[in-house]
Amino acid sequence: MSLAWDTVTSAVYYSLYIGTASGAYDPMPLATVTEVAYTATGLVNDTTYYFAVKAHNAADVSEYSNEASATPRAPNSSTPSTPDSDSDSGRSTIQVVDGNGGSLVSNAYIVRSSANAGRRQAAVELTEEQAARAIDKLRALGSDFAKMLIPDEDNGDVELVVTFPKASVDLLSESKIRMEISATRARVVIPDATLEGGTDGLRFRIEPAREKDLESIESLATTDPLVLEAARGGTVETVGRPMTIGSNATGGGYEAILPLTGAPLNDEQLKRVAVFALYDDGTKELARGSIVPYDGEDRLGIRFPGSAGKTGTFTVVHWMNPEHQAFLFGYADGTFAPDRNVTRAEVAAMLVRVFDRDEDAAPGDFPDVGDAHWAKEYIDRASGMSLMIGYPDGSFKPDAMITRAEMASAISPLLPGATGASAGFADIDGSWAKAVIEQANAAGIVYGYEDGTFRPNSTLTRAEAVTMIDRLLGRGPLIGLPQQWPDVTQAHWAYGYIQEASMDHSYEKQQDGTEKFIPVP
């Protein structure tokens, strides 16, 4: 039956609702489409159906449209019909098996129909007679679990609607039968509690996301705050095809299982898989679910709960632990020497290793930094990025110990906006670097000493340099990593920052801002 309606200005998509009484529609849409036309299939002849449409955009949903009704009629038997590959091919059957052992217990009707706006349809119905047959055979097998096997057609890119008439629902409910819809792209497990107390038939719709909608669906799933909070700074990607699943169930919910397609995930990676659910009422959930076998091909799936009476789009997401690279290393004797002073060349190397900033100035032509100097490339980059400049006499003094004031000046172009007032150090009045010291302190990057001084002309230690750069990067301190240096124990004030900066590692950001070390599988 072909349906059409008027375009609504600003609408992004439409939900089509159906019922068998005027004004009383199933809570689950018959279909969700972006076009203003739809071909309904699987309808019972001589039954009057009532239809209404809701228009949706990102911000709102309309009320029901004006109602339309129609009554499908059987074709005149005296008029011969010619099969058409693009039209209804007639009712065939699929298998219903024992969900525990796989024995055939019944069949269900399936009607495949022509493409509807580029998507073929399949309507499955388990009649009262077929349900009774299944129940009898399941009892003989000592089983309470039936499974509908929907064969792979059209590469699974089909809008699937599975209907259980009220008489079938009553029989299944009375016999406490669990039912599973097992399709190529999704499986839906319906507990007997969901079948109890239903006043109408039960219907499920399972549909892969359309190609033209994939980019927006996946972008939403990978950037939603629920997902980003779970990923803790990790890179998020989608797994497999997002699926739309809905039901008109008014009792309990159901469970869905989606296959984990694509690159195989190891045991550690499977701990970082979840399902992002966006329901038609605007509510969102992130279900961690459980990893289960999906089919006989050794594929895995993720099993998660779905809400009854809603239509949701479900996207499997996987996040990878972020990684940090080291920017300061130890010495040949195996020590780190945290209290050793750091040179201007060493600081230039640290900054260039971790900050990628446009070079807005020509590299300085420093007479004391020859081509053979180990840090020449770093110094050229640091001066080109306007992080470190030379002295009035044109020199850079690469091997001179850098002062705390010079370090504050070097990082000042990289500072975030100030987040508070400066501490007001007692010893920086008259210092050439007073402004940048106060800016770096207000941003939470550099601190003074317990006596209220900053000591701008004191030389900087390796531990102090590492801590400043870590804070500037929003990194660390790192916890959970075995002690890396014999001369940097957990009692050292910069222990976590030194651990963070001196080795490549994967991590998970914690609520308190620390980073938990994640070993590579």
Side-chain angles (χ1 to χ4, degrees):
M1 177 177 292
S2 296
L3 305 165
W5 54 92
D6 293 334
T7 300
V8 176
T9 303
S10 80
V12 177
Y13 65 93
Y14 304 89
S15 294
L16 175 65
Y17 292 83
I18 187 174
T20 54
S22 179
Y25 312 115
D26 286 345
M28 182 192 79
L30 175 65
T32 300
V33 297
T34 54
E35 297 79 15
V36 290
Y38 184 80
T39 301
T41 60
L43 305 181
V44 178
N45 288 326
D46 301 319
T47 298
T48 299
Y49 293 93
Y50 299 84
F51 301 94
V53 173
K54 286 186 177 183
H56 301 254
N57 60 28
D60 203 2
V61 57
S62 72
E63 298 297 327
Y64 287 115
S65 67
N66 293 333
E67 183 177 82
S69 64
T71 306
R73 304 291 186 190
N76 190 327
S77 60
S78 63
T79 304
S81 61
T82 302
D84 185 341
S85 60
D86 290 329
S87 62
D88 192 318
S89 58
R91 290 208 300 183
S92 56
T93 60
I94 60 169
Q95 292 184 342
V96 180
V97 302
D98 170 21
N100 295 314
S103 299
L104 180 66
V105 296
S106 188
N107 296 97
Y109 288 120
I110 182 169
V111 177
R112 298 191 184 277
S113 61
S114 60
N116 185 68
R119 174 66 50 88
R120 294 186 66 83
Q121 300 168 305
V124 176
E125 181 184 16
L126 183 73
T127 66
E128 180 181 12
E129 178 186 357
Q130 292 164 337
R133 187 185 313 130
I135 292 168
D136 288 344
K137 292 193 176 181
L138 288 170
R139 283 175 177 164
L141 294 169
S143 175
D144 63 355
F145 183 25
K147 183 184 291 187
M148 283 183 170
L149 303 181
I150 315 294
D152 187 2
E153 295 283 346
D154 305 314
N155 296 318
D157 200 16
V158 174
E159 178 189 3
L160 173 64
V161 177
V162 180
T163 302
F164 302 89
K166 185 177 185 312
S168 301
V169 170
D170 290 343
L171 288 176
L172 295 169
S173 174
E174 291 167 3
S175 300
K176 304 293 184 183
I177 301 296
R178 289 180 296 135
M179 179 65 68
E180 178 180 309
I181 303 166
S182 182
T184 302
R185 294 190 185 273
R187 290 161 51 190
V188 173
V189 182
I190 312 165
D192 62 273
T194 298
L195 301 169
E196 292 177 0
T199 57
D200 298 309
L202 186 63
R203 190 173 77 252
F204 280 83
R205 180 169 69 90
I206 304 171
E207 182 178 11
R210 296 174 185 261
E211 288 287 348
K212 62 184 178 60
D213 299 326
L214 280 178
E215 183 176 351
S216 61
I217 292 172
E218 292 178 346
S219 175
L220 180 62
T222 54
T223 59
D224 188 86
L226 287 175
V227 177
L228 296 180
E229 181 180 1
R232 301 281 181 87
T235 302
V236 183
E237 60 184 19
T238 60
V239 179
R241 185 80 163 265
M243 298 293 297
T244 296
I245 303 174
S247 92
N248 65 343
T250 56
Y254 62 90
E255 288 189 302
I257 307 173
L258 299 182
L260 300 178
T261 57
L265 302 175
N266 60 41
D267 290 344
E268 184 64 31
Q269 291 168 330
L270 288 172
K271 296 176 183 178
R272 300 187 292 278
V273 174
V275 178
F276 176 69
L278 177 61
Y279 289 101
D280 55 358
D281 62 359
T283 57
K284 299 180 291 186
E285 294 177 356
L286 184 67
R288 299 303 291 263
S290 57
I291 305 301
V292 297
Y294 190 79
D295 55 25
E297 300 175 357
D298 296 326
R299 279 196 302 171
L300 295 177
I302 182 168
R303 184 170 183 152
F304 59 95
S307 296
K310 293 184 179 181
T311 296
T313 297
F314 303 96
T315 306
V316 180
V317 293
H318 165 248
W319 54 89
M320 295 164 284
N321 286 318
E323 297 180 351
H324 280 157
Q325 276 68 52
F327 60 85
L328 189 59
F329 306 97
Y331 291 95
D333 63 358
T335 64
F336 185 81
D339 299 323
R340 177 174 171 173
N341 292 128
V342 64
T343 68
R344 287 171 53 82
E346 288 173 326
V347 168
M350 288 186 227
L351 294 174
V352 169
R353 285 170 185 154
V354 293
F355 292 105
D356 185 14
R357 176 180 164 90
D358 290 339
E359 295 188 37
D360 54 8
D365 184 14
F366 304 114
D368 55 346
V369 183
D371 291 342
H373 195 285
W374 71 270
K376 177 175 174 51
E377 182 179 346
Y378 295 123
I379 292 170
D380 286 348
R381 283 273 291 146
S383 63
M385 292 191 291
S386 298
L387 300 180
M388 298 182 73
I389 59 176
Y391 291 89
D393 63 1
S395 66
F396 186 83
K397 301 181 181 178
D399 301 319
M401 302 304 166
I402 194 169
T403 67
R404 287 169 54 81
E406 288 175 329
M407 186 65 176
S409 176
I411 64 175
S412 62
L414 305 168
L415 291 174
T419 57
S422 174
F425 300 113
D427 59 345
I428 63 172
D429 284 343
S431 171
W432 64 271
K434 178 180 179 180
V436 293
I437 291 170
E438 290 179 336
Q439 182 187 5
N441 176 243
I445 307 302
V446 303
Y447 295 96
Y449 294 92
E450 292 181 357
D451 62 1
T453 64
F454 183 78
R455 304 176 193 175
N457 298 321
S458 295
T459 53
L460 194 73
T461 67
R462 283 164 56 84
E464 289 174 329
V466 162
T467 301
M468 289 181 188
I469 294 177
D470 275 339
R471 288 172 179 161
L472 192 58
L473 292 167
R475 288 172 53 164
L478 185 65
I479 61 175
L481 173 68
Q483 180 179 326
Q484 296 299 293
W485 308 105
D487 58 341
V488 185
T489 68
Q490 293 188 36
H492 193 283
W493 69 270
Y495 174 77
Y497 287 113
I498 292 171
Q499 295 272 94
E500 161 69 36
S502 55
M503 75 164 293
D504 297 345
H505 61 275
S506 295
Y507 69 94
E508 181 181 272
K509 199 75 171 178
Q510 304 299 294
Q511 295 288 354
D512 62 0
T514 61
E515 295 176 9
K516 179 182 177 182
F517 171 71
I518 303 295
V520 177

